[in-house]
Amino acid sequence: MPVRLKDIAIELGVSVVTVSKVLRNHSDISTETRNRVLERMRQLNYRPNLAARALVTGRTNMIGFVVPDLLHPFFAEVAKGLTKVLRKKGYCLVIASSEEDPLLEKQEIEHLLARRVDALIVASAQSDSSSFVLAGEQKTPFVLIDRFFEGYSADFIGVDDEKVGYLATCHLIEQGCKRIAHIRGPQFSAAHGREAGYRSAMKGIGQPEIIVSTASMDNQADARGYDAMNELLATNPRPDGVFCFNDPNAIGALSAIHDAGLKVPQDIAVIGVGNLHYDSLLRVPLSSVDQDSSALGEEAAKLALKLIESKIKSRPKKIMLEPKLVPRASSLRNQ
Amino acid sequence: MPVRLKDIAIELGVSVVTVSKVLRNHSDISTETRNRVLERMRQLNYRPNLAARALVTGRTNMIGFVVPDLLHPFFAEVAKGLTKVLRKKGYCLVIASSEEDPLLEKQEIEHLLARRVDALIVASAQSDSSSFVLAGEQKTPFVLIDRFFEGYSADFIGVDDEKVGYLATCHLIEQGCKRIAHIRGPQFSAAHGREAGYRSAMKGIGQPEIIVSTASMDNQADARGYDAMNELLATNPRPDGVFCFNDPNAIGALSAIHDAGLKVPQDIAVIGVGNLHYDSLLRVPLSSVDQDSSALGEEAAKLALKLIESKIKSRPKKIMLEPKLVPRASSLRNQ
DNA sequence: TTGAAAGCGGTACCAC
DNA sequence: GTGGTACCGCTTTCAA
């Protein structure tokens, strides 16, 4: 039903090829013909069938984006960064959510691959890399964000998690905390990095490390943080500072502390990661480490586009963005 | 590079058609042939090129989703509901963000139309309906969510906004508020409905209506709420209850009240709309009206699929979901 | 039950 | 400058 190249060609008494060339700004078309064609295209509101074009060019101009959870503001913000860059280049974003389920993630990746997306951007929920081997087979470039696999080399963009942990912990130290605990994240690279940063900072003050793990990654990160914090509160002496894997965890921790009748930051200072935009609106505004998710999205998009352009596969890049401390009331004890 | 139907056909010494039929579970294929083909498909990890299929069937199995702002949890949740039902049907979701810009929105819609998405789901940022006329021309079904246009008939799914306003206002009345103000949203249908509900509830108690408008819809709804609340605080006597268009507005209002040295809910009770999942974690947990965004997404997806299936265009449906009151500390004065 | 041929709406290549 | 032709990978139709 929509207008086709052919329709315009017939109407104007030129060939399909000519119209096609005008469409793509080929130089070897007379100005007159070009104008006639353009004019008519506009009148008819012609839009090329991108599926057809994809079939012959082998490029769909689509990028697949797989996230563990769309509701998590971090991924939403990354998505926003992605669209910002991709829109300008005429690409569009196909989003799939894995709901933190490795199996689903794999299915979604295969689906996107069948769709022949030009590149894949994945924040992976899974611990093995078999899906990516698949992508590799089809020569579909992919970039990992936020979470990567130890021992599997791929293009990656994330924040420098070790620095995140270091920044956060040092901040607590500067605020006078002595017994600083870490509520650790699930088995992802980010958790490793942040823990390493914490350890490294703790070495500096010669205090023992106190680490508890959250049970799993799921949609109830705050509940996880609540439980973990209660574990910590049961220890004696209890910590006077806590660095949480992420803000939802930290929010849960805040609740636990509050429920125990203790005060933040006087009794226990708390800091999280993510700088969610409602952190400042919480009962006690939450200190955090900002990951600049939007920039992460933009960088990821740029990298993906570059990978699409370059025929030859270059050595995987690993881009680390700088985290930034955002101190708020939950950790500021010096005033 | 990826395996094609043809490759398998040649290898097995059958025709392309046969393989194609197996792929789509056609009945008229001998069990033996079918098994041989399926076997080989599995071995080679064959995935049909969906772009090619789209070209001939005229169906892309893609649904376009246009939102004003991905970061707004409401839309993220709707998206989640959408993917949940679309995934099962083999559809995928192409997301575009209009950043609350009508022009961008129009461009994105045209882009998606060029992509030949099978249906369009739009939470519109614009006040005219020209883009939808376009969609209509291409016979692409579309469903509006959350916001619709007065005088333009289209399939729509949203919450019953009048009831939202009524519920919220009645709740404030029950809590003993007398001078109840409404911070009104921008010029969208939702704002009209909620305002109407507010008015209707106010009629019942014979108190004057107090309405202020937020300047515009943008990413800083909380700042808008802050400003609007300050306007209200300047009036004399000031309100003792405020029903805000949405939760971000309400959060801004809370800050303004707090900054003015007043107490919530004792001095002023506040309620918003949206039931964002961090409402309960705020300095003062925010009362809200829940819109069940996830269900909204699921319903929208189902409706879109139905529209795609049914050849003939039926009369546009308007589905209204029931809102639900979620009272929290910001409005509970009776205890 | 199987397959040959046509064609979906474009683009690439090469002759004119 | 312009256009004929082949073809991208798949489905559809119809004949064998």
Side-chain angles (χ1 to χ4, degrees):
Chain A
M1 186 94 293
V3 197
R4 300 159 306 165
L5 267 191
K6 199 179 176 183
D7 301 324
I8 297 183
I10 294 176
E11 259 192 74
L12 266 42
V14 294
S15 80
V16 188
V17 181
T18 306
V19 183
S20 172
K21 281 179 176 166
V22 172
L23 183 63
R24 287 166 298 143
N25 280 312
H26 250 251
S27 55
D28 56 353
I29 295 288
S30 71
T31 324
E32 198 219 316
T33 314
R34 146 161 304 141
N35 287 338
R36 283 208 310 148
V37 174
L38 284 177
E39 169 77 13
R40 198 72 191 117
M41 283 183 170
R42 203 160 302 125
Q43 287 171 1
L44 297 178
N45 212 284
Y46 171 75
R47 299 253 113 204
N49 182 326
L50 298 182
R53 178 183 285 174
L55 187 54
V56 38
T57 60
R59 308 262 251 85
T60 55
N61 273 24
M62 302 193 298
I63 303 263
F65 182 39
V66 184
V67 296
D69 177 16
L70 254 182
L71 257 183
H72 195 307
F74 171 73
F75 297 116
E77 199 155 343
V78 172
K80 202 166 172 173
L82 286 175
T83 52
K84 186 175 164 191
V85 174
L86 295 182
R87 174 187 4 251
K88 289 180 200 151
K89 303 287 187 175
Y91 278 79
C92 72
L93 194 66
V94 185
I95 292 197
S97 170
S98 68
E99 310 296 330
E100 295 282 1
D101 175 350
L103 194 64
L104 247 179
E105 173 179 309
K106 195 161 177 175
Q107 286 171 5
E108 291 292 357
I109 290 179
E110 290 201 23
H111 184 184
L112 292 172
L113 251 22
R115 277 243 134 71
R116 303 299 193 268
V117 293
D118 293 337
L120 222 35
I121 299 175
V122 184
S124 180
Q126 68 189 45
S127 36
D128 82 301
S129 48
S130 57
S131 309
F132 307 118
V133 175
L134 258 175
E137 272 170 17
Q138 305 214 351
K139 305 221 179 305
T140 305
F142 66 94
V143 353
L144 259 29
I145 63 165
D146 192 43
R147 314 164 174 188
F148 69 92
F149 304 115
E150 219 47 83
Y152 180 69
S153 140
D155 288 280
F156 171 82
I157 301 194
V159 75
D160 185 337
D161 278 302
E162 187 158 346
K163 196 165 280 176
V164 167
Y166 189 80
L167 268 180
T169 312
C170 285
H171 170 69
L172 292 178
I173 295 172
E174 278 162 22
Q175 295 300 312
C177 299
K178 298 293 176 216
R179 292 185 51 79
I180 301 175
H182 174 42
I183 294 180
R184 195 183 179 291
Q187 296 301 328
F188 290 122
S189 58
H192 289 297
R194 291 174 200 176
E195 178 183 351
Y198 161 80
R199 287 185 194 276
S200 135
M202 291 303 281
K203 281 226 181 67
I205 58 165
Q207 291 281 340
E209 295 162 4
I210 314 168
I211 300 180
V212 294
S213 292
T214 50
S216 67
M217 191 63 164
D218 58 16
N219 299 335
Q220 289 145 350
D222 45 356
R224 302 279 152 260
Y226 187 91
D227 296 342
M229 190 66 224
N230 277 330
E231 262 186 64
L232 287 173
L233 290 173
T235 61
N236 191 340
R238 62 160 194 263
D240 59 357
V242 182
F243 158 47
C244 304
F245 175 67
N246 64 19
D247 284 346
N249 281 165
I251 288 171
L254 287 178
S255 296
I257 296 172
H258 183 253
D259 288 355
L262 298 172
K263 290 228 173 317
V264 175
Q266 296 86 338
D267 296 319
I268 306 180
V270 176
I271 184 167
V273 181
N275 194 23
L276 305 190
H277 82 295
Y278 53 80
D279 281 350
S280 58
L281 307 163
L282 298 178
R283 229 171 285 190
V284 180
L286 178 64
S287 300
S288 192
V289 180
D290 189 271
Q291 310 176 77
D292 202 350
S293 337
S294 181
L296 198 156
E298 291 176 35
E299 290 306 318
K302 284 181 199 159
L303 178 54
L305 292 177
K306 195 148 89 189
L307 290 176
I308 293 171
E309 298 309 335
S310 71
K311 308 287 144 211
I312 50 143
K313 204 165 114 191
S314 52
R315 226 176 86 257
K317 264 204 201 78
K318 204 162 164 180
I319 301 179
M320 296 286 212
L321 303 180
E322 283 295 303
K324 216 177 66 201
L325 184 73
V326 183
R328 294 200 183 88
S330 75
S331 68
L332 292 173
R333 317 168 102 189
N334 289 342
Q335 36 212 7
Chain B
M1 187 92 294
V3 197
R4 299 160 306 166
L5 225 41
K6 199 181 176 182
D7 300 323
I8 297 182
I10 294 176
E11 257 191 78
L12 265 43
V14 295
S15 81
V16 188
V17 184
T18 305
V19 183
S20 172
K21 282 179 177 166
V22 172
L23 183 62
R24 286 167 298 141
N25 280 314
H26 249 253
S27 55
D28 55 354
I29 295 288
S30 72
T31 326
E32 197 221 316
T33 314
R34 147 160 304 141
N35 287 339
R36 283 208 310 146
V37 173
L38 284 176
E39 168 78 15
R40 197 74 191 116
M41 281 183 172
R42 203 161 302 125
Q43 288 171 0
L44 297 178
N45 211 283
Y46 171 75
R47 299 253 112 204
N49 182 326
L50 298 181
R53 176 181 287 175
L55 188 55
V56 32
T57 59
R59 309 261 252 84
T60 54
N61 273 28
M62 301 193 297
I63 303 262
F65 183 39
V66 184
V67 295
D69 179 15
L70 253 183
L71 257 183
H72 196 306
F74 171 73
F75 297 115
E77 199 154 342
V78 173
K80 202 165 172 173
L82 287 175
T83 52
K84 186 175 163 191
V85 344
L86 293 182
R87 178 193 355 256
K88 288 178 202 152
K89 303 285 186 177
Y91 278 79
C92 73
L93 193 66
V94 186
I95 291 197
S97 169
S98 67
E99 310 296 328
E100 296 283 1
D101 175 350
L103 194 64
L104 247 179
E105 174 180 307
K106 196 162 176 174
Q107 286 171 7
E108 292 291 357
I109 289 180
E110 292 202 19
H111 184 183
L112 291 171
L113 252 21
R115 275 244 136 70
R116 303 297 192 269
V117 292
D118 293 337
L120 220 37
I121 297 175
V122 184
S124 180
Q126 67 189 42
S127 37
D128 83 299
S129 49
S130 57
S131 308
F132 305 118
V133 176
L134 259 175
E137 273 169 17
Q138 306 214 350
K139 306 218 179 303
T140 306
F142 65 94
V143 355
L144 259 29
I145 61 164
D146 192 42
R147 314 164 175 190
F148 69 91
F149 305 116
E150 220 46 85
Y152 180 69
S153 140
D155 287 281
F156 171 81
I157 300 193
V159 75
D160 185 337
D161 279 302
E162 187 158 345
K163 195 164 280 179
V164 166
Y166 189 80
L167 268 180
T169 311
C170 286
H171 170 67
L172 292 178
I173 294 172
E174 279 163 21
Q175 295 300 311
C177 298
K178 298 292 177 218
R179 292 186 49 77
I180 302 175
H182 175 41
I183 294 181
R184 194 184 180 291
Q187 295 301 327
F188 290 121
S189 57
H192 290 297
R194 290 175 201 175
E195 179 183 350
Y198 162 79
R199 287 185 195 276
S200 134
M202 290 303 281
K203 281 225 182 67
I205 58 165
Q207 291 281 338
E209 295 163 4
I210 315 168
I211 300 180
V212 294
S213 291
T214 50
S216 67
M217 192 62 167
D218 59 13
N219 299 334
Q220 287 145 351
D222 45 355
R224 302 280 153 261
Y226 187 91
D227 296 342
M229 190 65 226
N230 275 330
E231 262 186 65
L232 287 174
L233 290 174
T235 60
N236 191 338
R238 61 159 194 263
D240 59 358
V242 183
F243 159 46
C244 304
F245 175 67
N246 64 19
D247 284 347
N249 281 165
I251 288 170
L254 287 177
S255 295
I257 296 172
H258 184 252
D259 288 356
L262 298 172
K263 289 230 174 313
V264 174
Q266 296 86 338
D267 298 318
I268 306 181
V270 177
I271 185 167
V273 180
N275 194 24
L276 305 188
H277 82 295
Y278 53 81
D279 282 349
S280 58
L281 306 163
L282 299 176
R283 227 172 287 190
V284 180
L286 178 64
S287 299
S288 191
V289 180
D290 189 89
Q291 309 175 74
D292 203 351
S293 337
S294 183
L296 199 157
E298 291 176 36
E299 289 306 317
K302 284 180 198 160
L303 178 54
L305 292 177
K306 195 149 88 190
L307 290 176
I308 293 171
E309 298 310 334
S310 71
K311 309 285 145 210
I312 50 143
K313 206 165 110 189
S314 53
R315 225 176 87 256
K317 263 205 201 76
K318 204 161 166 181
I319 302 179
M320 296 286 211
L321 303 180
E322 284 295 303
K324 214 178 66 201
L325 183 72
V326 184
R328 294 200 184 87
S330 75
S331 67
L332 291 174
R333 318 167 103 190
N334 288 343
Q335 37 211 10

